[in-house]
């Protein structure tokens, strides 16, 4: 059985500051489960251009609010209780509303190592 909490992960390389927020990688490839689970905090008022070409991602909002914009320009509001799934390796913009951080439970398949970090300074989408 695997049992972890956020404070434990913060003392490891699996706590990552990706520039526009933080990610606690609670399960990684080393755990042998086949998927990664993260507690993701998106800083209020930020925008991240992302695309995971090697992973499928699903996120469930547990605090705050924001939006996801697809490459085609479709905007989906995200609020507490909303799940979104990037089932086609979708390129997207993730935005947190100003005023409060947005907190997501993120699941990735297949699992990743847990130390990956975004390059948000590039004009192209960041991902791993």
């Amino acid at each position: 059985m695997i049992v972890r909490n956020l404070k434990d992960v913060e003392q490891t390389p699996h706590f990552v500051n990706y520039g526009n927020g933080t990610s606690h990688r609670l399960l990684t490839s080393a755990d042998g489960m086949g998927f990664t689970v993260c507690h993701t905090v998106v800083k209020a008022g930020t925008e991240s251009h992302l695309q995971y070409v090697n992973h499928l991602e699903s996120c469930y909002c547990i605090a705050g609010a924001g939006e996801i914009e697809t490459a085609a320009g479709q905007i989906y509001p995200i609020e507490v209780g909303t799940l979104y799934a990037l089932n086609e390796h979708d390129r997207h913009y993730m935005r947190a509303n100003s005023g409060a951080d947005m907190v997501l439970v993120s699941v990735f398949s297949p699992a990743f190592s847990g130390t990956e970090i975004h390059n948000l300074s590039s004009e192209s989408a960041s991902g791993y």
Side-chain angles (χ1 to χ4, degrees), residues 71-83:
Q74 177 126 18
I75 296 175
Y76 298 93
I78 306 299
E79 60 186 21
V80 173
T82 303
L83 175 135

Side-chain angles (χ1 to χ4, degrees), residues 17 24 58 70-71 80 99 110-112 118 122:
N17 183 330
H24 292 77
S58 181
T70 68
V80 173
F112 48 78
H118 285 292
S122 172

Side-chain angles (χ1 to χ4, degrees), residues 23-91:
S23 179
H24 292 77
R25 279 77 188 271
L26 295 162
L27 283 177
T28 66
S29 58
D31 296 310
M33 297 288 294
F35 57 91
T36 291
V37 176
C38 305
H39 175 94
T40 304
V41 176
V42 185
K43 290 181 186 175
T46 63
E47 174 183 272
S48 301
H49 186 196
L50 305 170
Q51 182 176 26
Y52 299 99
V53 295
N54 298 308
H55 305 278
L56 296 174
E57 177 190 22
S58 181
C59 295
Y60 180 70
C61 183
I62 60 172
E67 65 185 22
I68 297 297
E69 181 178 351
T70 68
Q74 177 126 18
I75 296 175
Y76 298 93
I78 306 299
E79 60 186 21
V80 173
T82 303
L83 175 135
Y84 66 90
L86 302 163
N87 60 327
E88 296 181 353
H89 305 281
D90 311 66
R91 184 169 57 88

